[in-house]
Amino acid sequence: MGASAIHSAEDARRLARRRLPWMVFDYIDGAAGAEMGAGRNRSALDAMTLRPRILRDVSERSLASSLFDRPAERPFGIAPMGMCNLSAPGADLMLARIAARHEVPLGVSTVASTAMEDLIVEAEGHAWFQLYFSGDGSGTFKLVDRAKAAGYETLVLTVDVPEVGRRPRELRHGFKMPFKMGPKQVMDFALHPRWSLPVLLKGKPEMANFLMDGYDFDRTESRAKATWETLARLRDQWAGNLVVKGVLDADDAQRLKSAGVDAIQVSSHGARQLESAPAPITVLPEIRKAVGPDFPLFYDSGLRSGEDVLKALANGADFAFFGRILQFAIAAEGEAGLEQLWSVLSEEMSIAMAQLGVTSLDEVRRNACYR
């Protein structure tokens, strides 16, 4: 099947499920616990409706947005995702190229499978470095210095992983990072040759930011020592834009604003950490009220379509980020699949704007959504 088989995010997921080893698919697709949180995210988005308006001239519509005074062709970017090259060799670079073409941010994960230096070059500067605080923080602040030296202007501190969430689908497959092979994994890969053969030729994906001396990382190491003092130290060290990702509480949001962060990202980490967390879309309006109308507020978790992005914008977000569905598109049909899904998301959004009777994102934010 060609990329033309992808007409929705669900098409990309279905095709990826056929092609990927079970272990890899479940790592990308899985969520915490019994995955009720992931279901809650989708149910909350599905329950929200957009109000159509008629007989308005919507022949010229714009998806243009801006972030930190820089133009963006879309109001959505690419969330930081670890080990993207598991979906296909070179996936990180594919994501970087589409970020460059559309002038949107590529979230570069601490545990990316391509080095941060290479990704910001491929993204032509449209890259943000996502940071986990880990252990005693010594390695964390080395990464901050390295991001600064590489030319990153925006740092995204992810704060919703004091301990790595339990994701049973990963545990059943024995998924590990760094990537390890055993009899079970060998059998899984042998049954999925369309994925396995290219990966064998390119070499197994690794956490590329830790291949240099002095940059050790243990995915299971506790991140529970991060405090408000840690944030203050980071704010002092980082002169660029500082985004805090993983916020679901209005009081926390207010305190972050007072602490001098430049933006907040409302997120449940795709429901991969706390199964009982609220659906982020339901707390977004409350957090918007807490931080005021002009403070930059971003959103991710559960997004599957252009209409979902409109719902996020209408409920208070300035910008949104897609995650795993982009990996599914790459797994399904490589870079052509990614381009196809990106076009689908853009077209879904533009057509929905026409149905709503709006021509700009500012109009969407003013009151296009009701529940």
Side-chain angles (χ1 to χ4, degrees):
M1 289 186 179
S4 61
I6 297 176
H7 301 290
S8 67
E10 184 53 36
D11 284 343
R13 181 181 181 276
R14 174 175 47 81
L15 294 168
R17 189 172 190 174
R18 292 179 189 170
R19 182 167 185 175
L20 290 172
W22 304 310
M23 180 180 76
V24 175
F25 177 82
D26 283 344
Y27 165 66
I28 298 171
D29 191 58
E35 306 195 5
M36 299 298 289
R40 189 178 305 113
N41 285 355
R42 269 314 320 163
S43 294
L45 282 161
D46 289 340
M48 291 183 176
T49 57
L50 296 167
R51 179 164 58 248
R53 300 300 301 274
I54 62 171
L55 296 177
R56 299 180 176 187
D57 185 350
V58 290
S59 56
E60 298 292 334
R61 302 180 299 279
S62 174
L63 301 184
S65 187
S66 64
L67 284 166
F68 299 129
D69 297 322
R70 293 183 63 172
E73 287 188 6
R74 298 289 184 273
F76 52 84
I78 301 163
M81 295 176 283
M83 298 290 284
C84 285
N85 286 1
L86 284 172
S87 57
D92 279 328
L93 296 174
M94 298 176 198
L95 292 166
R97 286 191 285 271
I98 205 164
R101 282 192 291 275
H102 295 280
E103 299 183 321
V104 299
L106 165 73
V108 175
S109 173
T110 291
V111 291
S113 39
T114 304
M116 68 168 81
E117 292 84 357
D118 296 334
L119 287 173
I120 194 170
V121 171
E122 195 74 10
E124 298 177 10
H126 297 282
W128 297 358
F129 185 67
Q130 177 265 338
L131 183 72
Y132 285 122
F133 182 89
S134 186
D136 64 4
S138 57
T140 300
F141 285 97
K142 287 181 183 178
L143 286 173
V144 173
D145 290 336
R146 190 169 153 196
K148 187 184 304 181
Y152 285 85
E153 297 178 358
T154 299
L155 196 68
V156 181
L157 176 66
T158 298
V159 293
D160 59 356
V161 193
E163 301 289 352
V164 176
R166 292 190 81 259
R167 299 192 279 273
R169 278 204 259 170
E170 287 183 26
L171 298 173
R172 292 183 195 113
H173 292 298
F175 184 90
K176 301 285 185 182
M177 286 198 299
F179 207 44
K180 294 183 179 180
M181 296 284 287
K184 188 174 182 180
Q185 289 76 32
V186 170
M187 177 62 71
D188 189 6
F189 296 170
L191 293 172
H192 297 88
R194 289 187 64 198
W195 179 90
S196 304
L197 293 177
V199 169
L200 285 173
L201 290 172
K202 295 289 184 179
K204 68 178 182 180
E206 299 181 277
M207 294 183 292
N209 288 323
F210 302 95
L211 298 180
M212 298 172 60
D213 291 338
Y215 290 96
D216 294 332
F217 182 80
D218 180 354
R219 180 185 180 229
T220 63
E221 186 176 34
S222 175
R223 303 165 193 177
K225 292 183 179 180
T227 65
W228 289 96
E229 287 71 29
T230 307
L231 176 66
R233 179 184 170 191
L234 182 61
R235 179 70 284 181
D236 289 343
Q237 182 173 339
W238 183 259
N241 302 314
L242 179 58
V243 181
V244 175
K245 178 182 184 297
V247 180
L248 292 171
D249 181 86
D251 290 340
D252 285 344
Q254 276 188 316
R255 188 171 178 183
L256 287 168
K257 181 182 177 182
S258 298
V261 306
D262 297 292
I264 290 169
Q265 191 152 325
V266 177
S267 168
S268 67
H269 214 107
R272 290 167 71 81
Q273 300 306 324
L274 178 65
E275 184 180 14
S276 301
I281 196 70
T282 65
V283 299
L284 182 57
E286 180 184 357
I287 291 176
R288 168 52 75 196
K289 183 178 179 181
V291 299
D294 300 321
F295 187 80
L297 197 59
F298 309 147
Y299 179 89
D300 74 70
S301 294
L303 299 176
R304 294 292 183 271
S305 70
E307 289 192 22
D308 285 347
V309 174
L310 289 175
K311 292 176 182 180
L313 300 183
N315 277 277
D318 295 302
F319 201 86
F321 290 85
F322 284 107
R324 64 190 83 183
I325 64 171
L326 303 178
Q327 287 200 66
F328 290 146
I330 292 171
E333 288 297 339
E335 195 155 6
L338 176 62
E339 288 282 359
Q340 171 70 6
L341 181 58
W342 195 269
S343 296
V344 166
L345 297 171
S346 301
E347 187 175 357
E348 287 173 340
M349 190 169 189
S350 180
I351 290 172
M353 287 173 66
Q355 297 288 339
L356 301 179
V358 299
T359 60
S360 73
L361 300 179
D362 285 340
E363 291 180 80
V364 174
R365 295 184 182 102
R366 282 198 292 266
N367 193 19
C369 186
Y370 69 95
R371 284 176 280 180

